[in-house]
Amino acid sequence: MKVKIHKGDLVELISGRLEEKGKRGEVIKVLPEEKRVVVQGLNVRTKHQRQVQSQGRTVNPGKVRFEASIPVSNVMLVCPKCNKPTRVGLRREDGKVTRICKQCEAQIDE
Ligand SMILES: [Zn+2]
């Protein structure tokens, strides 16, 4: 199965950690082989960086916040027309494939 979520899409978290369920964000990265996406502001983790030596001084970069990837099956595309999380359908027209919302049938791609 091909990943139907693209970079720049708005998605909603439909499962996963309870406190984040229902949250929305923009897809900033798609990892097609792993079937995972990175969504802005979702699944934020804190990485503790080790101290590094820089020009003879010890620099502590401290905590670094980053978004960890989420399985594609845990998110749903939010339709820009009906504003609901939806399954994505495909429509073929003139050899071009466009994604459509399965709820309102609006075209998602330009
Ligand atoms: Zn729709």
Side-chain angles (χ1 to χ4, degrees):
M1 257 255 307
K2 214 169 159 249
V3 176
K4 287 177 190 161
I5 288 170
H6 301 170
K7 193 181 165 188
D9 284 344
L10 184 69
V11 293
E12 185 170 314
L13 198 66
I14 51 156
S15 59
R17 285 192 291 161
L18 205 60
E19 67 268 28
E20 289 213 308
K21 210 171 151 184
K23 275 197 186 176
R24 293 178 177 190
E26 191 187 307
V27 175
I28 50 177
K29 200 175 183 184
V30 180
L31 308 160
E33 282 93 57
E34 296 154 59
K35 294 195 166 43
R36 297 175 81 92
V37 288
V38 180
V39 182
Q40 193 154 43
L42 288 185
N43 204 19
V44 174
R45 303 280 171 85
T46 309
K47 188 160 55 182
H48 294 271
Q49 295 238 325
R50 274 186 294 159
Q51 293 188 333
V52 289
Q53 295 289 328
S54 173
Q55 292 167 340
R57 287 186 307 151
T58 303
V59 179
N60 188 358
K63 296 174 192 169
V64 177
R65 282 163 61 85
F66 71 104
E67 282 98 350
S69 64
I70 304 166
V72 169
S73 56
N74 283 12
V75 298
M76 261 188 154
L77 185 76
V78 176
C79 169
K81 293 271 164 32
C82 63
N83 199 34
K84 284 184 223 157
T86 183
R87 294 188 57 190
V88 179
L90 295 177
R91 178 189 282 157
R92 281 177 183 80
E93 256 170 25
D94 305 324
K96 211 179 126 202
V97 180
T98 48
R99 295 179 300 164
I100 57 160
C101 167
K102 281 204 170 171
Q103 306 220 28
C104 70
E105 303 205 332
Q107 196 174 306
I108 291 158
D109 300 300
E110 290 303 313

